[in-house]
Amino acid sequence: MSLTDILSPSDIAAALRDCQAPDSFSPKKFFQISGMSKKSSSQLKEIFRILDNDQSGFIEEDELKYFLQRFECGARVLTAAETKTFLATADHDGDGKIGAEGIRSLISK
């Protein structure tokens, strides 16, 4: 399964266009534009599984910087500041990684 099986390719493209410039990425806005904020809990779980590149059950900082590239291989890499902000926003227990619940709670805010 791929992200385009769950999310509209045009919504993904619009979300990526919105954050093309370095330091313009906002997780909440990205989730809204991409349509992720309208998905069911089971769909979000599947999206998380796809985004978890090493299938560890968590998205770690080194995976997070390539977050946009999971949606489109030519997308930019998140800046260090964007990565740290994203991690701090979704890492609820301070362990340096984001679980599925962290992403779901961030999307539903």
Side-chain angles (χ1 to χ4, degrees):
M1 183 173 277
S2 73
L3 289 169
T4 56
D5 292 329
I6 304 168
L7 301 171
S8 156
S10 62
D11 288 346
I12 291 172
L16 290 171
R17 271 193 312 276
D18 183 71
C19 62
Q20 276 183 308
D23 295 316
S24 66
F25 177 76
S26 163
K28 184 174 178 131
K29 190 172 181 186
F30 185 86
F31 296 148
Q32 289 171 343
I33 295 171
S34 70
M36 288 173 68
S37 59
K38 298 176 186 166
K39 298 303 175 186
S40 70
S41 185
S42 63
Q43 289 171 311
L44 291 176
K45 188 175 184 176
E46 183 60 25
I47 290 170
F48 182 84
R49 189 194 64 72
I50 294 167
L51 295 174
D52 179 13
N53 196 39
D54 65 3
Q55 300 299 296
S56 66
F58 297 96
I59 299 175
E60 294 88 4
E61 187 171 352
D62 61 325
E63 288 176 294
L64 198 56
K65 66 182 171 183
Y66 299 105
F67 179 81
L68 298 177
Q69 292 183 351
R70 302 297 292 155
F71 290 86
E72 181 181 279
C73 61
R76 71 176 181 87
V77 174
L78 294 179
T79 66
E82 289 170 320
T83 302
K84 290 196 182 305
T85 300
F86 192 176
L87 184 62
T89 304
D91 177 16
H92 297 294
D93 60 6
D95 65 356
K97 47 192 175 182
I98 303 170
E101 285 303 315
I103 290 286
R104 273 200 297 268
S105 69
L106 186 60
I107 290 171
S108 63
K109 284 185 179 177

